Amino acid sequence: LLVESRAQGHALKVESAYRSYEDQARVFATIKEIGRAARPGHSEHQLGSVIDLRIPTGAAIAWLQTTLRSLVLSKVIQRRSSD
């Protein structure tokens, strides 16, 4: 996804990925906006199953939405054709 985004002229970057319990506690304690960070022990970052992306422009957001829709649709089609 990152390679393709760069090829399309969008500089997406991984802002955050896996976080330990201690890292999540630090993030939770320092985030000022309620709901922007999960309590330690409740974050999918601790499972290593999510990433936060830095998306620099509105055009990059639009590209990402279109690309992710295509990827999800492709997976659904693959799954249905294998049933």
Side-chain angles (χ1 to χ4, degrees), residues 5-81:
S5 74
R6 287 187 191 101
Q8 297 299 318
H10 306 293
L12 301 182
K13 293 182 181 177
V14 174
E15 180 76 15
S16 180
Y18 172 79
R19 290 185 201 136
S20 67
Y21 184 93
E22 293 77 18
D23 289 338
Q24 187 63 30
R26 181 187 48 75
V27 168
F28 184 74
T30 59
I31 294 291
K32 304 282 188 250
E33 300 168 55
I34 294 173
R36 288 277 296 163
R39 293 187 325 255
H42 294 76
S43 172
E44 292 185 29
H45 284 282
Q46 288 174 244
L47 301 174
S49 60
V50 298
I51 61 171
D52 293 337
L53 291 174
R54 179 171 296 216
I55 308 171
T57 65
I61 292 170
W63 175 85
L64 185 60
Q65 288 172 327
T66 300
T67 301
L68 291 178
R69 272 190 217 109
S70 296
L71 288 172
V72 168
L73 182 57
S74 171
K75 292 292 183 191
V76 168
I77 291 169
Q78 286 175 3
R79 191 173 304 134
R80 286 185 180 168
S81 65

